[in-house]
Amino acid sequence: QKEVEQDPGPLSVPEGAIVSLNCTYSNSAFQYFMWYRQYSRKGPELLMYTYSSGNKEDGRFTAQVDKSSKYISLFIRDSQPSDSATYLCAMSGGNQFYFGTGTSLTVIP
Amino acid sequence: ETGVTQTPRHLVMGMTNKKSLKCEQHLGHNAMYWYKQSAKKPLELMFVYSLEERVENNSVPSRFSPECPNSSHLFLHLHTLQPEDSALYLCASSVQRWEVTQYFGPGTRLLVL
């Protein structure tokens, strides 16, 4: 079983839509849950992270962690063409980082 | 230069070649990382350096040899690679090791023929 599972997409939505990106994981020891955005030909860029369970909001982005279900989500409100990128979830625990495969998102003007 | 830079951005090499990837961070961080990103696979952590000392080596084949001469520079020496080693190699840094907030470079796209 993979440590982290992420639907690779691709996901295509119209501008202004609400986007939901999700990951599941198997290791209950994970404490930090991160979301990275990676534009084409660039390295990943940390969008936001959450410690343990709960929600965190930053502008149009909201991260949710449900440790009981081992499920994390990233919501993007009022999506913009500039949000078109690959989104990677990641988790850390025990001095190790585990990443999802990434979900490719295209926001159509 | 700001952030994390990597050179070269693209590299094509034969299986018998020897080449090196270079990473430089201008952030004053103490930890640096090498990652491998292959198509349709998760980002894989290869090596972690903290204050120039290697603290993690995730069962990476010996044909990959890292070097960290100081806290700002990180190299990945490559020799006798295989075609399956073709990937994007990313360097990252953070203030201390294992910190959640890592800053990535743009990567070196490697093709092994």
Side-chain angles (χ1 to χ4, degrees):
Chain A
Q1 185 182 11
K2 288 182 183 177
E3 295 279 358
V4 179
E5 298 271 4
Q6 183 175 11
D7 185 340
L11 188 60
S12 184
V13 300
E15 183 175 354
I18 296 174
V19 176
S20 173
L21 304 168
N22 312 293
C23 289
T24 58
Y25 63 94
S26 56
N27 190 337
S28 56
F30 290 147
Q31 293 287 341
Y32 288 91
F33 303 88
M34 298 87 83
W35 285 96
Y36 284 85
R37 177 176 60 197
Q38 186 173 20
Y39 289 117
S40 180
R41 299 187 189 87
K42 302 272 189 178
E45 167 196 19
L46 181 66
L47 269 178
M48 55 198 307
Y49 71 90
T50 309
Y51 175 71
S52 195
S53 278
N55 294 1
K56 186 172 185 178
E57 188 173 320
D58 184 1
R60 296 184 295 110
F61 298 88
T62 300
Q64 286 186 351
V65 175
D66 181 350
K67 291 193 79 176
S68 62
S69 302
K70 297 191 179 70
Y71 188 87
I72 71 169
S73 300
L74 177 71
F75 297 97
I76 307 174
R77 291 184 300 280
D78 187 25
S79 55
Q80 302 296 309
S82 58
D83 295 328
S84 298
T86 296
Y87 290 80
L88 305 167
C89 63
M91 296 153 200
S92 72
N95 288 346
Q96 190 55 264
F97 293 113
Y98 295 93
F99 286 78
T101 51
T103 299
S104 175
L105 171 68
T106 300
V107 180
I108 303 167
Chain B
E1 291 275 17
T2 58
V4 181
T5 58
Q6 290 187 244
T7 54
R9 293 295 308 276
H10 301 273
L11 179 62
V12 179
M13 60 187 289
M15 290 190 285
T16 58
N17 292 158
K18 288 184 181 181
K19 297 286 185 184
S20 295
L21 309 184
K22 179 183 175 182
C23 174
E24 185 172 0
Q25 58 96 0
H26 310 268
L27 300 168
H29 290 168
N30 292 313
M32 297 186 77
Y33 311 78
W34 278 117
Y35 286 88
K36 176 183 179 183
Q37 188 174 36
S38 304
K40 296 184 171 51
K41 289 187 176 181
L43 210 57
E44 298 173 50
L45 179 61
M46 300 174 73
F47 301 103
V48 181
Y49 275 84
S50 177
L51 296 172
E52 299 133 53
E53 178 186 347
R54 189 190 313 177
V55 296
E56 188 74 19
N57 175 353
N58 285 341
S59 303
V60 178
S62 59
R63 56 186 184 267
F64 295 92
S65 174
E67 179 190 1
C68 188
N70 55 62
S71 59
S72 298
H73 294 86
L74 186 64
F75 294 90
L76 188 62
H77 304 299
L78 316 171
H79 63 98
T80 59
L81 293 192
Q82 305 298 309
E84 59 265 29
D85 296 322
S86 299
L88 182 67
Y89 288 85
L90 291 159
C91 173
S93 71
S94 61
V95 174
Q96 302 293 342
R97 63 182 171 182
W98 303 121
E99 274 200 16
V100 168
T101 305
Q102 296 186 22
Y103 295 83
F104 283 83
T108 295
R109 175 70 63 185
L110 173 67
L111 177 62
V112 181
L113 300 176

